[in-house]
């Protein structure tokens, strides 16, 4: 069970006070009507789901009721940082100087997305 | 021998020694026979004292089994506890159950009894037909017979039995926080705890045994030249005096979860009786789960001795060497008379020394090493004990008790017997294959253990904030263990910012020890597959041959081998067997142990009663029941309640008519007609209410709702529909404009909390620039809905609000007083009748409600519940989110285009999704009314709708009934349904084939069945 | 392949079990296969088995990074049922159910499919509406089911608290008597043995590290044991699907979450059916060995750690003791976690992808085990023909663009 | 003015009121006895206001009107000299004000006047929650059974308050003095909380003061 530092309350609190809210930094398209069905579907449903460093949103539901972001490793479950809404992470998968699991590299010659 | 000796009480009890209180006698019953023991005994030590050899029958082969160990690792002595049905506890480990007066236990297997077990015959005859995985290879023909085979297999399986009555005891949780948690209060743990405690940090020390001290309680070693338990007593005294220290004996750390969250199961009363006692008039909890969040964790969990795997090693009388010592030194019991010890290391020698000192005969020590040398070896020689080197016990003889040991020279590398075999008469064989650190807790965290050749064992992998010391870390020499404990304590203190204080350790004896040899399975003169059974996992009857066979069949990963043979899946989770099993697999595959895999242990370390995990969250406290301010009234009025989320809402109010209580149907018909013809009242307090303030409140509403809000004037209310951004309806309700910058939103009863979070989500993440605040006021207001033609007259009697139809219009709200209480009254309607929703501060609700009844009697004021509310709203075609919708329904599917602001400037939540190819489809399921052709028919809710009822199965379905009721005012059944392309199918006939073979016919009609022009609510 | 039978068992016993053959080989990877299946769990092995046996594609490799059947196949609570609400899902799971019924004989491996029936309890009026809706739909789809009232439930499970005193009294249930449980490991092993016998190479301890893609077409995979080529690659990697998709350069509408389960100590037979409850949230059956096998919920965060949070276990046991107060003194032996790949609509993806020749079968969430034979069969058919099998067609990953979701959340309740 | 509607939901007349625990006293009773180690007392009918806005915006107004300053630090709880009025930090833009019953509306009106056109919100929630005092030697252990927050004095000194999990509900927990704890519970959950406290406290003996 996680022990989470709430950046608004300024202290560690038990996971039971929080709800996870999925991947962080997903912005709603500014002009939804200009989106194709594919782009809109991507916004609604398609996620990074990395095995490793993940930026995700949580809410301190039984507490200050603030949403905030967390950088967490999805295998070790180690919380690398939490930061307020609107801020950017200081730790990312690239900044983590560790060997990347399963060296996820492919020959991508003209991959159509 | 046990048969002949049962009349003789405690024949194996030693006259001196041990930590038992011989001055007091406790009596207990095992398998129907009465025995005696002493305070300080475990059930196991007491059984041994009384010469009870067979404590159980094995699971697969029904072989007689005796006590092997003295602690959590015991695989055999699994008993059923309890003298009454409600107090039954299955699968109690006798080695961990303190003896109490009146304890009643029996074996979990064996028919008709453990002494003479008929299944044992099957095991003997059929044993060879039951290799691992035999059930995968047979019982396949004929296919229909499997359920029959399975019935017999199930009967033979299982250990103890579940009680058949509810638990009389209660349990609870204690949420603990500490700087340092020390798990294990043996030498390492106590040393660590002392170091931490003196530094002033908050420390919890948990130990699973009845007494703290671990192996020091039964050690032959001294500290400062005094018995080690004196040091234990002195340390415990100091710790008990520290305000920053919590000592938890009888407390097992059973699970180690993320971020140093550890569950400690404290057995508070299980040593006292089979149900929890009453102290000072207050009943105690049976056991308690400490949910500990620790800054640092120190694992001082010690090590388990590994038995050697030889033929017949499961016959009663085969014990771990360390267990023999423990029984003699701690419990004053010699578990036999004549001992043969088989060992691969120096530690095992202690059992022989203790045995000899207890006045019993040591037939021989059989040491696998060619030239053992060390202080304990010398001591044994000095005692005149015969030592047979380069050899091992290759087979135990005997059926119900060991009668002899077959001993031979062995060649470990070549895995064969290399010399002549001699048979030594004895009744006890103790074995020691070295130690396995107790790495269980560490592996719960996902950290992989590491193999160390030097200690022939795995040491724990460690995550952040944890350290291991002493036996748990593969350190066994007492002096080193103590020093490591202090170091761990100092490191842990430093990590949480506490200065460590010096701890002067007592001096331990410096013992010379010879190196151990890696011996796991002992070779037999016959090949493993042909020889007598050599057990690896005693509880699951897994043999060395079984493991060999599994590897032959291609099961090469240890995880495969465990699963194919069931090794390690018992209630002991393979504490004794797993490493031996891995070693055997490694031998068969020609690999090293770490190449075969690691053992991954899962919580729990030892099993924990469901009750303790559940805690107080059971029975009346399983889940909160939420009540409105009027709950007392509803209860007194005899309401039946409906669960809506956590709320208890009145469902209907059955009355006694001519001495008979109304049915749901009768009550609802009466309530419905009262509303349609006179006036009814509903407690609507459960609706979610959110106070919205700020200059951008209106803009916010426009973005979050599908419909428009720009022109809603102060004093007005409007219905709103909410979607997720996938365009699917998620909530609805009425929002009122209280002031230009002030709105009150209502939500569905079940959706209240989620909608508040939903609003906050959009405000905090996407639209922080909007100046608006949301506050839940659900509980502040009580809401009483009076509805029906007489509603105005009734309200006028007790309100100072001008209720005139022209000044207080439909969809207006006004404030004033009702029954002398300040109230906001909303003229909105969910029934289609003239309706006033009276909102008062909840503390006044009962007064207002009762006043309404005082005045309402003459108008026929009738309380109605949710069922009537549903009928009335359905007659009007009003939806219930969650009933008409299921997360796949858009506003357009509901025919609610009138509630969609297509041209609002901001692309509100859900709008974009409505133009996706699938949401634009013409033949989407759309909400319609259904009128059964036979008005007496009330269609089943959930009935499926087809166009061709003669179509073969699978029959294409075009929709289903979402709501269906009998309408008392229309005197007919009617329904709401979703039907593919339904909006363009008005007047068409559809069919509803039912499970009973009937097919109903219905016509697609408008969703509004009553007062289609909406005149009644406007009067 | 050595045939298994009771007679064979006796024969082997008399020769001291020295003549049993390997159940599958441990082959060296070839340079090239017709089809590569990535993921050696139940679904992947079943796909390979049916490819070789039913669709004539025998040059097949199954690539497994660990040991076969070691993922969710080994970690689930083994419930098999097909009473799904929507036509598309019902067709898929019922296809599986038909295959389950002859599976032991087809594989010559006893998977112990025990049709002891599954109860999905209803505790609220809306639960009961949903149950009626689902059972009615099932019957018209040819899936037998009944709606029981509280008394009917009590007769089937006498030890359950069906009284009105419960916090959420049992109002009734749906009952699918053909449903039940099966022995999870045996399913993986049986398919592995069968596939191997048809010539499939099962490559364990082999990890795919990337895809070979040219002109938007897959032609092989990189592995820790070298490159292996194939023009058709099917990924059946459950919780790790997202990682594989990233390697191939696209995203999936999938998130991987921890799902926990637990067992009690073995006790004598006391529960003869499978009981599932959405409202109090727990599900339970008793294994042939006597363990109460109990499923806990999904943790809300993403996780590949095969661990979840402890309160999830607490809540589950609270639900179990609420339904079965007599189990309060039974003890929990062991808990564990799996990684489930969940789709937004609680239905799987069996689909072509933006990369030609690369197919994904994933997103089974908590419902994968029961579908194993059906999933493998329709996926094999799709891979063999290069066109999606009609039962698989609705489960395209592109439904998340069009909006044609098959939302089993709303109505089916517990999706396990 | 903030252009919000204000409404005094309280009346001075002798109209009977029922506290959120009225049902519970009838149903579960209010145990009294000797030898108890826990004391429970409801402080019903107090005035409860939720204050929303920026700390800088609110602080001066609160000080002027109420005479105590807004706790600026997270988890802060400030009381006036009498201990009858308090303000508690709930979130960076949210505070709970508790005052003697009847003071809440005049207070809201004064604050609104004082705050003028600033962006803020005040919501009266007096009917929606009640305050329970817990004292006695077993108080801390009872809280450990009940809330997941660390109530050890080193972590929970006087003058602190948090929102946290109460069994399966939520609560606001405050420590106004060394020997006394306060729980603010929602009306609809009050009976559950009360039954929980009686049950959890039963092993120590509970005395309920009405």
């Amino acid at each position: 069970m996680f022990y989470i530092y709430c950046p608004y309350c300024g202290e560690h609190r038990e996971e039971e006070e929080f709800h996870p809210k999925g991947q962080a930094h997903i912005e709603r398209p500014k002009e939804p009507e200009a989106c194709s069905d594919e782009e809109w579907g991507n916004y609604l449903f398609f996620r990074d789901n990395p095995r490793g460093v993940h930026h995700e949103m949580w809410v301190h539901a039984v507490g200050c009721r603030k949403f905030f972001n967390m950088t967490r490793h999805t295998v070790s479950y180690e919380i690398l940082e939490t930061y307020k809404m609107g801020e950017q992470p200081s730790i990312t998968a690239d900044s983590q100087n560790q060997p990347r699991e399963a060296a996820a590299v492919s020959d991508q010659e003209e991959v159509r997305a | 021998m046990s048969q002949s000796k049962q009349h003789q009480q405690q024949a194996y009890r030693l006259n001196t020694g041990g930590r038992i209180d011989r001055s007091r006698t406790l009596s207990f019953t095992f398998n129907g026979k009465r025995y005696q023991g002493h305070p300080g005994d475990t059930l196991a030590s007491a059984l041994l004292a009384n010469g009870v050899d067979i404590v159980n029958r094995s699971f697969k082969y029904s072989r007689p089994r005796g006590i092997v160990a003295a602690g959590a690792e015991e695989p055999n002595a699994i008993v059923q506890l309890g003298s009454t049905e409600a107090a039954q506890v299955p699968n109690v480990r006798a080695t961990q159950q303190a003896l109490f007066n009146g304890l009643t236990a029996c074996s979990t297997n064996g028919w008709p009894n453990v002494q003479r077990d008929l299944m044992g015959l099957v095991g003997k005859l059929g044993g060879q037909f039951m290799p691992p995985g035999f059930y995968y290879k047979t019982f396949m023909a004929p296919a229909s017979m499997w359920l029959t085979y399975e019935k017999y297999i199930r009967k033979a399986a299982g250990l103890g039995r579940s009680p058949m009555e509810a638990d009389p005891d209660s349990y609870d949780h204690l949420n603990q926080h500490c700087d340092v948690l020390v798990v294990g209060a043996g030498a390492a743990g106590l040393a660590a705890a002392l170091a931490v405690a003196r530094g002033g940090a908050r420390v919890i020390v948990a130990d699973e045994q009845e007494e703290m001290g671990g192996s020091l309680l039964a050690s032959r070693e001294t500290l400062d030249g005094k018995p080690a338990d004196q040091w234990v007593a002195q340390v415990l005294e100091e710790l008990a005096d520290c305000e920053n220290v919590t000592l938890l004996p009888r407390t097992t750390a059973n699970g180690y979860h993320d971020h140093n969250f550890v569950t400690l199961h404290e057995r508070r009363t299980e040593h006292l009786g089979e149900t929890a006692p009453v102290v000072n008039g207050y009943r105690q909890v049976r056991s308690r789960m400490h949910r500990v969040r620790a800054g640092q964790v120190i694992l001082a969990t010690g090590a388990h001795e590994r038995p050697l795997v030889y033929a017949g090693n499961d016959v009663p009388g085969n014990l771990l060497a360390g267990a023999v010592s423990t029984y003699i030194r701690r419990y004053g019991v010699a578990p036999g008379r004549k001992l043969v010890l088989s060992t691969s290391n120096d530690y095992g020698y202690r059992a022989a020394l203790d045995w000899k000192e207890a006045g019993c005969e040591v037939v021989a020590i059989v040491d696998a090493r060619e030239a053992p040398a060390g202080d304990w070896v010398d001591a044994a020689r000095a005692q005149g004990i015969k030592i047979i080197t380069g050899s091992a016990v290759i087979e135990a003889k005997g059926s119900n008790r060991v009668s002899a040991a077959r001993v031979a020279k062995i060649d470990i590398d070549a895995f064969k017997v290399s010399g002549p075999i001699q048979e030594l008469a004895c009744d006890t064989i103790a074995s020691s294959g070295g130690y396995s650190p107790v790495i269980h807790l560490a592996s719960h965290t996902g950290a992989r253990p590491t193999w160390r050749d030097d200690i022939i064992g795995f040491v724990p992998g460690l995550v952040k904030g944890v350290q291991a010391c002493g036996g748990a870390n593969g350190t066994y020499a007492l002096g080193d263990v103590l020093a490591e404990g202090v170091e761990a304590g100092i490191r842990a203190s430093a990590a949480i910012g506490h200065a460590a204080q010096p701890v002067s350790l007592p001096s331990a004896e410096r013992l010379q020890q010879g190196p151990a040899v890696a011996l796991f399975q002992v070779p037999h003169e016959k090949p493993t597959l042909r020889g007598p059974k050599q057990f690896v996992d005693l509880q699951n009857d897994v043999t060395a041959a079984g493991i060999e066979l599994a590897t032959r069949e291609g099961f090469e990963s240890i995880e495969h081998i465990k699963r194919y043979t069931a090794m390690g899946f018992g209630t002991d989770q393979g504490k004794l067997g797993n490493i031996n099993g891995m070693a055997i697999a490694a031998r068969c595959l020609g690999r090293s142990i770490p190449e075969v895999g690691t053992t991954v242990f899962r919580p729990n370390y030892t099993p924990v009663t469901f009750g303790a995990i559940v805690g107080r969250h059971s029975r009346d406290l399983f889940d909160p029941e939420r009540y409105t301010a009027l709950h007392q009234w509803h209860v007194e009025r005899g309401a039946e309640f409906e669960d809506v989320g956590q709320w208890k809402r009145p469902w209907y109010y059955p009355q006694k008519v001519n001495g008979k209580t109304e049915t749901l149907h009768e009550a609802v018909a009466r309530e419905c007609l009262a509303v349609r013809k006179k006036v009814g009242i509903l407690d609507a307090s459960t609706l979610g209410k959110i106070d919205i303030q700020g200059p951008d409140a209106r803009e916010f509403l426009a973005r979050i709702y599908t419909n428009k809000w720009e022109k809603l004037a102060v004093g007005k209310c409007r219905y709103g529909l909410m979607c997720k951004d996938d365009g699917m309806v998620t909530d609805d309700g009425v929002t009122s404009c209280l002031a230009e910058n002030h709105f009150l939103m209502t939500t569905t009863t079940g959706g209240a909390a989620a909608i508040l979070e939903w609003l906050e989500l959009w405000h905090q993440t996407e639209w922080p620039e909007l100046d608006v605040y949301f506050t839940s006021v659900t509980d502040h207001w009580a809401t009483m809905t009076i509805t029906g033609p007489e509603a105005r007259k009734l309200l006028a009697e007790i309100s100072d609000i001008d209720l005139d139809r022209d000044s207080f219009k439909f969809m207006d709200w006004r404030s004033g007083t009702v029954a002398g209480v300040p109230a906001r009254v909303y003229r909105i309607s969910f029934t289609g009748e003239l309706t006033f929703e009276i909102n008062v501060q909840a503390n006044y609700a009962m007064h207002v409600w009762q006043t309404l009844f005082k005045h309402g009697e003459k108008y026929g004021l009738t309380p109605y519940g949710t069922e009537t509310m549903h009928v009335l709203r359905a007659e009007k075609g009003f939806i219930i989110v969650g009933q008409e919708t299921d997360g796949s329904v858009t506003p357009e599917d509901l025919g609610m285009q009138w509630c969609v602001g297509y041209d609002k400037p901001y692309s509100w939540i859900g709008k974009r999704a409505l133009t996706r190819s699938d949401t634009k489809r013409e033949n989407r399921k759309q909400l319609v009314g259904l009128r059964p052709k036979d008005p007496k028919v009330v269609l089943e809710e959930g009935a499926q709708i087809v166009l061709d009822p003669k179509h073969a199965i699978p029959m294409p379905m075009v929709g289903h009934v979402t709501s269906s009721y009998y309408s008392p005012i229309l005197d007919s059944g009617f329904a709401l349904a979703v039907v593919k392309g339904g909006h363009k199918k008005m007047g068409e006939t559809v069919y509803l084939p039912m499970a009973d073979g009937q097919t109903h016919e219905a016509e697609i009609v408008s969703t509004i069945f009553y007062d289609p022009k909406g005149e009644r609510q406007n009067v | 392949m050595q045939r298994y039978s009771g007679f064979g068992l006796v024969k082997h016993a008399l020769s001291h079990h020295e003549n049993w053959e390997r159940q599958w080989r441990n082959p060296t990877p070839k340079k090239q296969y017709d089809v590569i299946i990535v993921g050696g769990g139940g679904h992947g092995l079943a796909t390979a088995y049916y490819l070789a046996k039913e669709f004539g594609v025998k040059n097949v490799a199954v690539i497994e990074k660990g040991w076969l059947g070691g993922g969710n196949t080994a970690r689930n609570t083994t419930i098999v049922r097909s009473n799904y609400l929507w036509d598309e899902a019902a067709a898929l799971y019922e296809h599986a159910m038909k295959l389950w019924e002859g599976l032991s004989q087809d594989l010559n491996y006893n998977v112990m499919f025990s049709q002891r029936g599954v109860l999905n309890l209803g505790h609220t009026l809306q639960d009961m509406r949903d149950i009626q809706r689902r059972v009615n739909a099932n019957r018209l789809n040819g899936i037998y089911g009944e709606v029981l009232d509280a008394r009917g439930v009590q007769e089937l499970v006498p030890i359950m608290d069906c009284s009105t005193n419960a916090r959420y009294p049992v109002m009734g249930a749906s009952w699918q008597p053909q449903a039940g449980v099966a022995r999870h490991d045996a399913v993986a092993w049986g398919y592995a043995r069968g596939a191997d016998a048809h010539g499939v190479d099962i490559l364990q301890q082999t990890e795919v590290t990337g895809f070979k893609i040219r002109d938007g077409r897959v032609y092989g995979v990189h592995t820790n044991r070298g490159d292996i080529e194939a023009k058709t690659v099917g990924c059946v990697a459950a919780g790790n699907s997202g990682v594989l998709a990233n390697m191939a350069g696209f995203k999936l509408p999938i998130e991987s979450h921890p799902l926990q389960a637990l067992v009690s100590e073995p006790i004598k037979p006391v529960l003869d059916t499978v009981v599932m409850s959405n409202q109090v949230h727990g599900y339970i059956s008793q294994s042939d060995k006597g363990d109460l096998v109990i499923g806990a919920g999904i943790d809300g965060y993403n996780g590949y750690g095969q661990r979840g949070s402890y309160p999830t276990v607490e809540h589950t046991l609270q639900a179990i003791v609420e339904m079965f107060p007599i189990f309060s003194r039974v003890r929990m032996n062991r808990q564990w976690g799996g990684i489930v790949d969940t789709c937004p609509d609680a239905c799987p993806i069996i689909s072509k992808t933006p990369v030609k020749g690369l197919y994904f079968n994933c997103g089974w969430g908590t419902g994968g085990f029961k579908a194993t034979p059906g999933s493998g069969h329709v996926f094999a058919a799709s891979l063999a023909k290069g066109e999606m099998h009609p039962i698989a067609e609705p489960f395209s990953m592109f439904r998340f663009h069009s909006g044609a979701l098959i939302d089993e959340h709303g109505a089916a309740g517990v999706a396990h | 003015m903030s252009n919000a509607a204000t409404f005094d939901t309280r009346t001075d007349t002798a109209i009977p009121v029922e506290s959120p625990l009225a049902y519970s006293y009838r149903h579960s009773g209010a145990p009294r006895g000797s030898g108890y180690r826990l004391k429970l007392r409801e402080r019903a009918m107090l005035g409860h206001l939720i204050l929303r806005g920026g700390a800088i915006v609110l602080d001066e107004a609160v000080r002027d009107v109420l005479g105590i300053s807004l706790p600026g630090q997270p988890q802060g709880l400030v009381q006036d000299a009498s201990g009858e009025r308090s303000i508690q930090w709930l979130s960076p833009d949210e505070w709970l004000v508790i005052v003697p019953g009847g003071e809440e509306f005049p207070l809201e009106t004064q604050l609104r006047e004082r705050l003028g056109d600033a962006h803020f919100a005040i919501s009266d929630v007096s009917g929606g929650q009640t305050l329970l005092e817990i004292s006695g030697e077993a108080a801390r252990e009872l809280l450990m059974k009940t809330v997941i927050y660390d109530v050890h004095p080193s972590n929970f000194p006087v003058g602190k308050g948090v929102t946290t999990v109460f069994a399966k509900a939520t609560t606001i927990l405050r420590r106004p003095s060394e020997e006394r704890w306060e729980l603010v519970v929602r009306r609809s959950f009050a009976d559950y909380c009360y039954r929980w406290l009686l049950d959890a406290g039963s092993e120590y003996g509970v005395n309920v003061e009405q």
Side-chain angles (χ1 to χ4, degrees), chain A residues 33-54:
Chain A
E33 269 62 41
C35 290
S36 65
D37 277 6
E38 187 178 334
E39 286 164 338
W40 193 252
N42 287 343
Y43 155 67
L44 286 179
F45 299 123
F46 287 67
R47 298 293 179 260
D48 290 343
N49 195 28
R51 191 185 170 93
V53 174
H54 188 225

Side-chain angles (χ1 to χ4, degrees), chain D:
Chain D
M1 282 290 283
S2 54
N3 212 343
T6 58
F7 189 54
D8 189 355
T9 59
R10 207 183 282 264
T11 171
D12 292 333
T13 56
I15 283 174
V17 287
E18 288 205 339
S19 95
L21 284 180
Y23 173 83
S24 312
Y25 296 139
R26 291 186 194 112
H27 256 254
S28 308
R32 305 193 68 109
S34 54
Y36 59 85
R37 294 165 62 202
L38 272 175
K39 211 168 78 180
L40 212 63
R41 179 168 80 125
E42 183 191 16
R43 302 277 317 277
M45 309 303 160
L46 300 178
H48 298 242
L49 294 178
I50 295 289
L51 215 55
R52 304 291 308 263
I56 298 165
V57 173
L58 297 175
D59 184 45
E60 214 179 298
V62 166
R63 232 177 314 139
D64 287 358
V65 175
L66 207 55
I68 47 179
S69 60
L70 198 71
Q73 290 303 308
Q75 286 80 247
L77 169 70
V78 176
Q79 305 167 86
D80 72 358
S82 70
E84 293 295 312
R85 293 164 197 82
S86 64
I87 312 180
Q88 181 185 348
W89 185 98
L90 294 183
S91 101
D93 58 4
E94 184 172 3
W95 287 264
L96 170 65
V97 180
I98 299 183
V99 293
E103 285 187 15
E104 70 275 14
F105 187 70
L107 175 63
E108 178 183 349
T109 311
Q110 284 175 296
L111 283 171
R112 285 189 181 278
E113 271 166 26
R114 183 70 179 66
L115 286 161
D117 287 332
H119 172 46
F120 69 95
I122 302 172
S123 302
D124 181 2
V125 292
S126 307
Q129 49 201 36
T130 193
L131 190 144
L132 292 173
E133 286 180 357
I134 298 178
S135 55
E137 55 178 296
R140 186 157 71 88
E141 194 163 299
L142 175 72
L143 288 170
M144 288 169 75
K145 290 183 176 192
T146 304
V147 300
I148 58 171
Y149 193 80
D150 181 7
V151 292
H152 191 271
S154 65
N155 185 62
F156 211 132
V158 172
K160 190 168 185 176
V162 297
T163 306
T164 190
V165 174
F166 177 115
K168 280 189 185 164
T170 69
T171 190
I172 291 170
L173 173 66
R174 309 133 56 93
R175 191 155 184 223
S177 70
E178 284 294 338
E179 55 292 325
R180 189 160 48 86
W181 299 83
E182 292 176 349
L183 291 170
V184 180
V185 298
R186 285 179 69 174
R187 168 178 262 285
S188 56
F189 288 98
D191 181 68
Y192 166 77
C193 293
Y194 184 72
R195 286 188 290 115
W196 175 281
L197 291 171
L198 290 192
D199 194 57
S202 63
E203 69 172 297
Y204 316 111
V206 190
N207 197 63
V208 175
E209 211 173 283
Q210 262 178 290

Side-chain angles (χ1 to χ4, degrees), chain A residues 33-106:
Chain A
E33 269 62 41
C35 290
S36 65
D37 277 6
E38 187 178 334
E39 286 164 338
W40 193 252
N42 287 343
Y43 155 67
L44 286 179
F45 299 123
F46 287 67
R47 298 293 179 260
D48 290 343
N49 195 28
R51 191 185 170 93
V53 174
H54 188 225
H55 306 292
E56 55 198 15
M57 185 160 71
W58 287 70
V59 61
H60 194 178
V62 185
C64 66
R65 301 197 295 125
K66 292 294 175 208
F67 289 76
F68 62 93
N69 296 319
M70 176 189 293
T71 306
R72 187 175 61 89
H73 197 284
T74 58
V75 181
S76 73
Y77 295 174
E78 188 182 349
I79 296 172
L80 304 168
E81 62 178 339
T82 56
Y83 51 101
K84 292 179 180 174
M85 202 45 62
E87 294 177 352
Q88 291 302 311
S90 66
I91 299 167
T92 62
D94 294 333
S95 77
Q96 281 293 85
N97 217 2
Q98 56 192 31
R100 293 171 67 184
E101 256 184 274
V105 193
S106 294

Side-chain angles (χ1 to χ4, degrees), chain B residues 352-365:
Chain B
L353 295 171
D354 292 333
W355 191 274
K356 178 97 181 175
E357 284 164 25
C360 303
E361 180 189 348
V362 178
V363 178
I365 294 173

Side-chain angles (χ1 to χ4, degrees), chain B residues 91 109 128 136 140 150 159-160 167 169 258 291 530 553 560 603 608 610-611 623-624 941 955, chain C residues 17-18 23 68 105 110 114 116 132 140 167-168 183 266 268 288 307 314 328-332 335:
Chain B
N91 305 346
N109 275 326
Q128 58 180 329
Y136 302 130
M140 282 180 283
E150 188 184 39
L159 292 170
D167 195 337
D169 279 329
D258 286 295
R291 304 165 88 251
R530 290 172 177 255
E553 290 193 85
H560 273 163
V608 180
F610 286 5
D623 204 38
E941 289 178 336
M955 199 184 287
Chain C
H17 300 292
E18 284 166 348
Q23 298 194 5
L68 64 87
Q105 291 70 32
N110 190 351
S114 168
R116 52 178 75 175
Q132 284 168 348
L140 296 182
R167 172 65 185 88
Y168 297 104
R183 172 74 195 153
K268 297 284 182 250
D288 288 347
R307 300 187 308 287
E314 291 180 303
S328 174
R329 286 184 167 223
V330 174
R331 295 190 293 186
M332 166 177 145
Q335 66 165 99

Side-chain angles (χ1 to χ4, degrees), chain C residues 34-36 211 216-220 230-235 351-360 379 383 386:
Chain C
D34 292 339
V35 176
I36 290 173
F211 292 97
R217 204 176 201 308
V218 72
Y219 65 98
K231 290 211 169 73
T232 303
V233 178
C235 292
S351 182
K352 295 185 178 182
T353 68
V355 179
K356 279 203 197 87
L358 181 62
Y359 298 77
F360 267 70
F379 199 48
L383 295 178

Side-chain angles (χ1 to χ4, degrees), chain B residues 199-214:
Chain B
R202 284 165 70 186
V203 54
I204 295 174
V205 185
D207 188 90
E208 67 174 340
Q209 298 199 27
E210 294 294 315
E211 280 185 274
M212 289 188 164

